[in-house]
Amino acid sequence: MLSSNRNSKYKSFFMKTELTFSMIKPDAVERHITGKINAMIEEAGFSIVAQKLIRITYEQAQKFYDVHKEKPFYADLCKYISSGAVVVQVLKKENAIADYRKLMGATNPEQAEEGTIRKKYAISIDQNSIHGSDAPETAQREISFFFSDIELVGC
Ligand code: CMP
């Protein structure tokens, strides 16, 4: 008991407050479930420190998903992401990057665990409702792709 208390004390001592990037994708915006997704995000302890509804072009989607440019799904992904409005946002929390990946669930909703956003709302691997950064460098790149420092509230 004592040692597990100690472990959790040390864990929270070393856990850093982080920012992560999130995008609510066209399938979710179209179905008017951005509020429900934001409720899950806030209930999980994240603060939404920046947020905007935008429509991105095919060329912007290509740049944003540059890391996947060799993948067979790249063109369809860019077409889909630029097919409708998206909500881009910056989330703040201790351990935000890993915790948000957990909250989103597996990329393919068929493999997503109960209680995750994708299990609850995603339609398919393409229309999977939400994107989140996978590492600190990616979070920095993705946040600055859409937001300037002045748009991040209280950071
Ligand atoms: P996302 O987290 O936005 O990152 C890239 C996206 O590509 C991913 O979610 C999926 O929506 C989409 N995608 C389509 N096919 C695949 C695949 N086979 N593997 C991974 N991602 C895929």
Side-chain angles (χ1 to χ4, degrees), residues 49-111:
V49 296
Q51 173 166 259
K52 54 194 176 190
L53 175 76
I54 58 169
R55 173 110 186 223
I56 60 181
T57 64
Y58 186 83
E59 290 71 27
Q60 288 166 332
Q62 279 182 310
K63 267 192 209 148
F64 180 76
Y65 277 119
D66 184 60
V67 67
H68 294 302
K69 67 173 180 256
E70 307 301 339
K71 308 265 175 64
F73 56 83
Y74 180 61
D76 284 344
L77 171 63
C78 297
K79 202 168 154 193
Y80 167 60
I81 288 297
S82 56
S83 69
V86 296
V87 173
V88 288
Q89 47 191 190
V90 180
L91 310 180
K92 184 177 175 182
K93 186 183 172 298
E94 274 185 2
N95 207 32
I97 297 166
D99 285 359
Y100 194 53
R101 302 280 297 179
K102 267 188 230 153
L103 179 64
M104 288 194 305
T107 308
N108 184 345
E110 284 173 19
Q111 286 150 20

Side-chain angles (χ1 to χ4, degrees), residues 25 65 68 73 77 81 101 104 107 118 124-128 130-132:
K25 296 186 179 183
Y65 277 119
H68 294 302
F73 56 83
L77 171 63
I81 288 297
R101 302 280 297 179
M104 288 194 305
T107 308
R118 284 170 171 159
S124 65
I125 192 165
D126 300 303
Q127 297 187 60
N128 65 353
I130 195 115
H131 165 86

Side-chain angles (χ1 to χ4, degrees), residues 1-148:
M1 187 63 186
L2 182 65
S3 86
S4 85
N5 274 347
R6 249 195 211 160
N7 281 343
S8 59
K9 217 172 178 181
Y10 286 132
K11 211 171 160 192
S12 69
F13 183 78
F14 287 114
M15 264 201 293
K16 271 197 316 196
T17 297
E18 286 178 329
L19 298 180
T20 194
F21 173 79
S22 162
M23 181 194 293
I24 304 181
K25 296 186 179 183
D27 66 274
V29 176
E30 261 169 37
R31 287 179 287 151
H32 303 120
I33 55 171
T34 60
K36 287 178 177 162
I37 291 175
N38 275 348
M40 285 183 78
I41 291 171
E42 292 186 327
E43 276 157 21
F46 294 85
S47 299
I48 301 169
V49 296
Q51 173 166 259
K52 54 194 176 190
L53 175 76
I54 58 169
R55 173 110 186 223
I56 60 181
T57 64
Y58 186 83
E59 290 71 27
Q60 288 166 332
Q62 279 182 310
K63 267 192 209 148
F64 180 76
Y65 277 119
D66 184 60
V67 67
H68 294 302
K69 67 173 180 256
E70 307 301 339
K71 308 265 175 64
F73 56 83
Y74 180 61
D76 284 344
L77 171 63
C78 297
K79 202 168 154 193
Y80 167 60
I81 288 297
S82 56
S83 69
V86 296
V87 173
V88 288
Q89 47 191 190
V90 180
L91 310 180
K92 184 177 175 182
K93 186 183 172 298
E94 274 185 2
N95 207 32
I97 297 166
D99 285 359
Y100 194 53
R101 302 280 297 179
K102 267 188 230 153
L103 179 64
M104 288 194 305
T107 308
N108 184 345
E110 284 173 19
Q111 286 150 20
E113 281 180 36
E114 283 301 331
T116 63
I117 295 172
R118 284 170 171 159
K119 176 73 183 180
K120 200 156 185 196
Y121 294 118
I123 297 168
S124 65
I125 192 165
D126 300 303
Q127 297 187 60
N128 65 353
S129 300
I130 195 115
H131 165 86
S133 309
D134 61 3
E137 311 72 51
T138 327
Q140 212 170 4
R141 175 188 172 273
E142 293 180 344
I143 290 168
S144 58
F145 193 94
F146 290 106
F147 295 96
S148 61

